[in-house]
Amino acid sequence: MPVTLINPEGLPQPEVYRQLSVATGSQLVFLAGQVARDADGQPVGEGDFAAQVEQCYLNVATALASVGGSFDDVAKLTVYVVDWTPEKMPLLGEGVSRAAERLGVDPAKPITLLGVTALGEPDLLVEVEATAVLP
């Protein structure tokens, strides 16, 4: 199995060895549903469906970055929308487009969209669950 040697920023940079070794292969990553909360757990986009979608996608990217991945590694998304109606489609697209622009990625992924009665907290309008494959 190939191994990549790394001296990450924030650690000493020795010349004779590396701080990390990462074996490459196929790794599945299953993310819990991401909601419109910032890093401190504070609500983002209260009552604004597009803003909540954007934050969910950004949170997916943040989670993947923590394990060395990116939104480009997403293989499938499941999107749960409270009280879904087709009239919400343009706002869904707006939120996805804004997140894609900020992340510099192509957001087109296999997706399942489910309308639900409610999510875990009353202010949440959308939740995005992701499965990713890292090399």
Side-chain angles (χ1 to χ4, degrees):
M1 181 180 296
V3 175
T4 303
L5 303 173
I6 303 169
N7 272 333
E9 288 186 40
L11 294 177
Q13 302 292 306
E15 293 182 24
V16 295
Y17 70 94
R18 299 296 175 258
Q19 297 284 5
L20 297 170
S21 64
V22 178
T24 58
S26 181
Q27 185 177 28
L28 291 177
V29 179
F30 300 93
L31 275 71
Q34 298 300 303
V35 297
R37 297 285 187 262
D38 65 16
D40 296 321
Q42 297 302 307
V44 174
E46 287 189 76
D48 183 339
F49 181 64
Q52 287 199 18
V53 169
E54 178 181 7
Q55 187 64 45
C56 292
Y57 271 61
L58 296 175
N59 289 350
V60 167
T62 298
L64 289 171
S66 77
V67 294
S70 74
F71 200 86
D72 287 331
D73 298 313
V74 170
K76 172 142 184 347
L77 296 168
T78 302
V79 178
Y80 302 90
V81 178
V82 174
D83 298 325
W84 171 257
T85 63
E87 291 76 27
K88 291 184 179 180
M89 187 62 82
L91 294 172
L92 176 65
E94 179 184 332
V96 170
S97 294
R98 290 193 323 220
E101 185 174 321
R102 286 181 64 181
L103 296 169
V105 298
D106 178 355
K109 306 289 180 186
I111 187 171
T112 298
L113 177 64
L114 298 168
V116 297
T117 304
L119 293 168
E121 297 179 43
D123 64 310
L124 297 174
L125 303 175
V126 61
E127 185 168 329
V128 178
E129 185 179 275
T131 301
V133 179
L134 278 61

